[in-house]
Every structure is written in C-alpha cells, then in structure tokens.
Amino acid sequence: MELDQEGAEPITLVTGAAGFIGSFVSRGLLEKGRRVIGVDNLSSYYEVALKEARLAQLGKIAGFQFERVELSRQEEVERLFERWKPRRVIHLAAQPGVRYSLERPHSYIDANVTAFLNILEGCRHYPVEHLVYASSSSVYGGNTKVPFSVQDNVDSPVSLYAATKKANELMAHAYSHLFGIPLTGLRFFTVYGPWGRPDMAAMIFIKSILEGRPIQVFNHGKMKRDFTFVDDIVEGVLRVADRPPPTGGVRARLYNIGNSTPIGLLEFIATLERLLGKQAEKQLLPMQPGDVAETCADVSELERDVGFRPRTTLEEGLRQLVEWYREYYGV
C-alpha cells in the first residue's frame, strides 16, 4: 500500500476492535505492518474484562491505537473521521445475538442500524478507499435451499438481528449508488475460536461440560452449522479489504464467508467431549424462536475473486479453543 502525504502508513479504522472477530482482524492488519485505529464502546453485553484483555494484547503490537467511541452518536463518529481520515474502514461493531434481540430490540437499532448510518456518513464526507462491513448468515432466515448463495432471496428474516443486517446491506447499496462509496459486505457463518464471546455455543458448551452442568441442545440436536474458525475468517477479511470493488457502476459487493462444510451439532459436541475428556449431559429441547435448522455457505464467488478457501478442520479449531479456554479461565 502506498504511503500517505506524511510518509506514514495509511490508517485502517476497525470498529468492534475489542470484540472477538474485530480483535483478530486488528491483529492480522498489525502483523502486516498496517496502522490500526481500533474503535469500540466496551458495552456490557458480556464481560468487559474479556474485551479489555483482547485490547491489552493488541496494545503490545506497534501501530495500534484505541478510541472508545459510541458509534450510534453522530457527533462522536464525525470527530473520529475528522481526526483520523482513514484510508480503509472495516466495520465489525454490532449488537450480536439472535436470542438477545427478542429481549432488547432497541439496542439492535442503535448499534446495528444507526451506528452503520453514521459510519456510511463518515465514509461519504471523508472518502475512503474501501469500506468492508459485517453482515450475517442470519439474513437467509428460514431458507431451506443449501448451500446459501448471495443470489438467494433474503426478504424473510426470522429475527430482528437478521433484519438489521439485511438493512445494513440495503443501506450500503444505496450509499454506494448515491455517493460512489466502494464497499463490501461479508455474511459471516458461525465463527468460533480462542477469545470467543461467552454467549456463543462453543463457549457455553465448554463451560457447562467442565462444570458438570447440563447443556441445552435445541431442535433435539438436529441442527447443522457452518462452523468457521476465526483464523480462516481473518484471512478472508484481509484479502477482501485489499481488493476494493472495481470502478464503474455501483461499487457494492456481497460475499458469504464460511467453511462451506456444515457440521451436525451432536458431532460438534462429541468433538468437544473428546478434547475435554469429559461427557456432556444433554437436555434435548425443541427449536427456539428465531433459530434455523441448518446453515451452509456457498463461498465460490469469494474463492473466485480473492482466492479464499478455509483450511482449519473442526478438530484443530476446537483444540485451539479448548487450550485457550483452559489457560485463560484457569480450568
């Protein structure tokens, strides 16, 4: 990448930098010698200490600077863009979780819709080389055709979380059409790995198995997920960030980013049991509202355009997660 006018490496702004995927993406950029301004509001949706620990790891790497910003506040985002004038933006900040959206719907509009509008406005008034933003496999709703393709209709979300991510994609397309912003949306598929969120299935299962408590297995275990290891996700994100959409027409793209190999939930649990050396007590329950039975990513377009192909096996990915969990939580 070319240097800016002062001879310094141009800035990449990463929102959600204290989050699970955001911290790994920030690290990946820093290891490539990029300057990163990491942004987060350190919300209390889950333990803030984990977010602070991720930031502490990033703070040890040259080129990283943290800004605590509430992205739903327009004036804070305006100041952020005015100060740093980033060359690229990787927007990963969001209110995650399908189930929590049933309890706290307003937080999803603030964090996922209003905040994204403010990011788009920042990129409009301080033009960027590329905006990459996180969408979700949740936009596919109750689609039964697998694998999921970005060409599929996604007009039937089954959760508010999914609806906000679909809204992001529509907003992005409109801003690219109106203001020529080059942007790429990535539909993430069930990311797991070390430093993961405590509300994610893998983390919940590990904690419960180690503590000898039963785990809740929905749809009576008849679920499949396109579990994708975080290192593979980061490689895909960085490859995409380095390739803005070509000029000409609306510069808005969408890709799936996943493992493209669905794993049954019971197989996932069995792998964890083997790695932990302990059996899980399972409570088989019906499907939850807002959930789907199977996800599977068609990543052929991403492979064609940026050469992305995930490589980490479930066994290897869960092994790394279990080792990190035992070390971090001292169990």
Side-chain angles (χ1 to χ4, degrees):
M1 183 186 292
E2 65 188 62
L3 301 181
D4 63 18
Q5 292 181 346
E6 288 75 33
E9 179 78 25
I11 288 170
T12 300
L13 185 71
V14 179
T15 71
F20 172 38
I21 300 174
S23 62
F24 273 90
V25 168
S26 296
R27 175 180 291 275
L29 289 164
L30 292 166
E31 289 175 349
K32 288 178 173 288
R34 308 288 171 83
R35 291 173 67 201
V36 174
I37 303 301
V39 174
D40 208 287
N41 68 349
L42 298 178
S43 80
S44 59
Y45 169 65
Y46 62 86
E47 57 188 79
V48 175
L50 179 59
K51 300 178 181 183
E52 292 174 335
R54 294 182 188 129
L55 288 175
Q57 294 295 312
L58 292 174
K60 298 175 183 177
I61 308 173
F64 181 77
Q65 185 162 337
F66 176 66
E67 290 267 2
R68 186 166 184 171
V69 175
E70 180 53 70
L71 295 175
S72 63
R73 295 176 183 158
Q74 180 181 350
E75 65 281 0
E76 292 191 30
V77 179
E78 287 175 351
R79 286 198 296 269
L80 181 71
F81 275 83
E82 182 180 12
R83 179 180 182 188
W84 295 110
K85 299 178 178 61
R87 178 75 64 86
R88 294 176 180 171
V89 176
I90 301 179
H91 177 57
L92 303 173
Q95 175 58 60
V98 169
R99 296 164 195 169
Y100 191 66
S101 68
L102 302 175
E103 305 168 18
R104 297 286 300 276
H106 291 89
S107 67
Y108 285 76
I109 301 303
D110 292 341
N112 297 1
V113 179
T114 303
F116 189 52
L117 173 62
N118 291 336
I119 290 291
L120 288 170
E121 280 288 288
C123 294
R124 170 191 175 187
H125 294 291
Y126 297 89
V128 298
E129 180 184 277
H130 196 189
L131 164 61
V132 179
Y133 67 95
S135 186
S136 168
S137 62
S138 296
V139 301
Y140 290 105
N143 280 21
T144 56
K145 182 186 77 66
V146 292
F148 297 162
S149 167
V150 290
Q151 309 305 326
D152 293 343
N153 183 286
V154 290
D155 292 336
S156 302
V158 295
S159 70
L160 179 62
Y161 170 71
T164 64
K165 288 301 185 178
K166 172 63 176 175
N168 287 172
E169 295 178 1
L170 295 172
M171 294 162 68
H173 190 278
Y175 264 69
S176 184
H177 170 75
L178 291 168
F179 308 114
I181 300 171
L183 44 80
T184 302
L186 295 173
R187 292 174 174 171
F188 291 104
F189 280 70
T190 316
V191 188
Y192 73 98
W195 296 97
R197 297 199 326 262
D199 65 318
M200 300 172 79
M203 298 281 283
I204 292 172
F205 291 162
I206 293 172
K207 179 178 174 64
S208 296
I209 292 170
L210 288 175
E211 293 178 354
R213 294 185 292 104
I215 61 175
Q216 295 182 327
V217 182
F218 294 99
N219 199 29
H220 304 283
K222 299 173 184 176
M223 308 269 274
K224 287 188 174 181
R225 288 289 181 270
D226 205 349
F227 292 104
T228 313
F229 191 60
V230 66
D231 286 357
D232 291 331
I233 287 287
V234 170
E235 180 184 346
V237 171
L238 297 187
R239 286 182 180 227
V240 166
D242 283 341
R243 293 169 175 81
T247 56
V250 178
R251 302 184 68 190
R253 300 179 304 192
L254 276 172
Y255 292 117
N256 288 330
I257 182 165
N259 200 45
S260 202
T261 307
I263 302 292
L265 187 56
L266 293 179
E267 179 185 346
F268 185 84
I269 294 168
T271 305
L272 276 178
E273 290 174 325
R274 188 165 59 252
L275 290 165
L276 291 168
K278 192 171 183 180
Q279 291 294 111
E281 180 187 343
K282 306 175 189 70
Q283 290 182 343
L284 300 181
L285 301 169
M287 183 84 86
Q288 291 191 112
D291 217 340
V292 297
E294 181 175 355
T295 63
C296 177
D298 177 351
V299 296
S300 56
E301 295 185 23
L302 190 59
E303 182 177 4
R304 179 197 66 204
D305 291 350
V306 304
F308 170 80
R309 176 169 286 280
R311 297 186 299 270
T312 309
T313 65
L314 180 70
E315 182 91 18
E316 173 59 22
L318 286 181
R319 183 189 63 77
Q320 291 190 40
L321 170 56
V322 167
E323 287 179 357
W324 169 82
Y325 189 98
R326 286 187 177 279
E327 180 180 356
Y328 183 80
Y329 289 103
V331 294

